[in-house]
Amino acid sequence: MHTHYSDGTGSHADLLDAAMKAKIDAIIVTDHNVWVQDMETYLQKGRKRVLMLVGEEIHDPTRSEPGNHLLVIGANRELARFAPKPQQLIDQVNTAGGMSFIAHPIEDDLPAFNEKAYNWDDWSITGFTGVEIWNQLSEFKTRSKNLLQALRNALFPQQMNLDPKEETLKLWDELLASKPHKIVAIAGVDAHAIQYRKGLFRVTLYPYEFHFKSLTNHLIVPRKLSGEINADRSMILDALRAGHSFLAYEVPMSARGFRFTVNSSAGQFWMGDTVTAEAGLTFQIRLPIRTHVRLIKDGIVIKEHYDREVLTHITKEPGIYRAEVYIDYLGRHRAWIFSNPIYAV
């Protein structure tokens, strides 16, 4: 998400206020090629509060074709000067103790507005934390092939979101299989609150508050946020780094209550964890409502239910297991929840 320090239209205070209205716990602001210092804070109103953390979205502006955007979180230093060499940038992030996520790795251009695609093209890299598998502004580009579609999607945003790009999900599964480290999936709203004006007509391409009520990242943490910024910041970043999380499209309904776990003789394990398979595993997906759920192993659907609240799978097979959930909303079958994997070895 972006402020007027780069190409957004709002201030950090505007984003905090929108997050408070959207009733979420925390946001991470990532302006383009600028790490805005001394902005991390809590906003408190009565018994409600929201935490704002600050990272950076780094890219090389001298590239002949746009792309290779990297979300940097928790590094606590300016790293944009390393953008021309993605591996060097990732190495610097790791040295600084931060995390790096490939932003909108595959997207379409937007010819109606002469907007190019901002893809990632350097796949020789390693050591990055994860990948953004669902980006709301990228989906707007995919579903707005002409001015009429763009206008409809801007005026009726709750109608637009259907799912991440199939190619991006395939890419994530390939990265999970090929990289020697875990690949954490996140969602990004890519909020700019871009304002279009033509004569008397004005439209904001997704106000911040709408963004914050749509695509979200749910973190599994050991305790509630306390209001002590340093402790809460560390807990959030630790959960994000470990992949103790799932992402959800919240417009149809809240995804709170979703759980994806595995039980073995060693105990219960969560998304992002690694577990030994040889003694036997019991995977369980629990949903807030009865709907369509898939269990995926190594990129292939191995079990699927269309009207269940629980999916259970017993196995001794090692592999990378993750969950997908779909929901009917406004006459369309839409993606709802994507878990991070459980790694069985």
Side-chain angles (χ1 to χ4, degrees):
M1 58 190 70
H2 308 286
T3 73
H4 54 56
Y5 278 87
S6 57
D7 59 351
T9 61
S11 66
H12 287 81
D14 292 332
L15 269 67
L16 269 173
D17 186 61
M20 177 70 75
K21 291 176 180 176
K23 299 180 181 179
I24 59 177
D25 298 310
I27 59 175
I28 304 177
V29 183
T30 50
D31 275 305
H32 291 284
N33 284 354
V34 56
W35 174 56
V36 186
Q37 299 183 50
D38 303 322
M39 284 292 186
E40 295 193 335
T41 188
Y42 258 112
L43 174 64
Q44 183 99 28
K45 291 185 178 180
R47 300 180 65 181
K48 298 178 180 179
R49 60 177 170 237
V50 59
L51 173 62
M52 179 170 64
L53 302 179
V54 178
E56 184 176 9
E57 183 173 351
I58 296 176
H59 68 281
D60 179 7
T62 68
R63 282 171 53 95
S64 57
E65 289 293 327
N68 282 7
H69 285 221
L70 192 74
L71 299 170
V72 174
I73 298 170
N76 290 331
R77 52 179 289 206
E78 178 57 69
L79 295 170
R81 65 190 178 93
F82 298 103
K85 297 181 178 180
Q87 186 60 63
Q88 185 180 19
L89 172 59
I90 291 168
D91 293 342
Q92 288 293 324
V93 173
N94 291 336
T95 298
M99 291 175 279
S100 55
F101 296 88
I102 296 172
H104 39 75
I106 302 174
E107 67 170 24
D108 298 313
D109 58 12
L110 185 60
F113 294 92
N114 197 30
E115 180 81 8
K116 293 185 177 182
Y118 291 80
N119 297 308
W120 186 276
D121 62 16
D122 183 353
W123 293 109
S124 64
I125 58 167
T126 190
F128 57 97
T129 310
V131 63
E132 186 181 60
I133 65 167
W134 198 348
N135 179 294
Q136 194 162 39
L137 210 57
S138 292
E139 188 172 3
F140 175 83
K141 294 167 75 170
T142 295
R143 306 200 186 282
S144 303
K145 293 307 181 186
N146 55 54
L147 285 172
L148 183 61
Q149 290 178 348
L151 182 61
R152 180 195 64 197
N153 291 332
L155 293 176
F156 306 101
Q158 70 277 10
Q159 298 271 4
M160 186 199 74
N161 292 96
L162 290 174
D163 48 34
K165 286 182 72 67
E166 183 178 340
E167 299 94 325
T168 304
L169 292 176
K170 182 181 178 182
L171 168 67
W172 181 35
D173 285 323
E174 290 172 350
L175 291 171
L176 285 167
S178 64
K179 294 297 181 181
H181 53 85
K182 298 178 181 180
I183 306 293
V184 178
I186 60 170
V189 289
D190 210 350
H192 295 73
I194 300 169
Q195 299 172 358
Y196 290 102
R197 295 181 176 88
K198 192 170 184 63
L200 296 176
F201 177 76
R202 297 184 180 186
V203 62
T204 298
L205 182 55
Y206 304 164
Y208 290 113
E209 185 180 348
F210 173 80
H211 270 306
F212 298 163
K213 290 180 178 178
S214 54
L215 284 182
T216 58
N217 298 281
H218 292 246
L219 304 182
I220 307 301
V221 293
R223 62 186 182 278
K224 292 182 178 180
L225 296 175
S226 66
E228 202 288 306
I229 188 168
N230 290 325
D232 291 346
R233 180 183 189 275
S234 294
M235 184 171 66
I236 286 173
L237 296 185
D238 286 348
L240 192 58
R241 185 189 302 275
H244 292 162
S245 62
F246 61 92
L247 57 98
Y249 176 56
E250 300 277 280
V251 172
M253 69 172 291
S254 172
R256 288 182 183 271
F258 170 82
R259 293 293 183 267
F260 177 43
T261 59
V262 62
N263 287 285
S264 74
S265 58
Q268 186 177 74
F269 298 84
W270 292 82
M271 295 162 280
D273 287 342
T274 299
V275 59
T276 301
E278 61 183 1
L281 302 172
T282 301
F283 287 93
Q284 190 170 79
I285 304 170
R286 288 190 169 272
L287 309 177
I289 60 168
R290 299 174 70 93
T291 190
H292 177 196
V293 57
R294 294 172 173 170
L295 178 64
I296 294 171
K297 173 183 177 288
D298 299 330
I300 298 172
V301 178
I302 60 169
K303 186 169 283 190
E304 186 168 19
H305 297 317
Y306 283 89
D307 188 25
R308 297 277 187 91
E309 289 183 9
V310 178
L311 182 152
T312 301
H313 180 68
I314 300 173
T315 185
K316 290 185 177 180
E317 293 186 8
I320 299 172
Y321 294 81
R322 62 181 184 85
E324 294 181 358
V325 187
Y326 296 81
I327 191 171
D328 291 327
Y329 177 66
L330 295 179
R332 306 290 294 273
H333 196 58
R334 302 171 191 265
W336 185 21
I337 300 168
F338 292 83
S339 80
N340 265 291
I342 296 173
Y343 302 81
V345 297

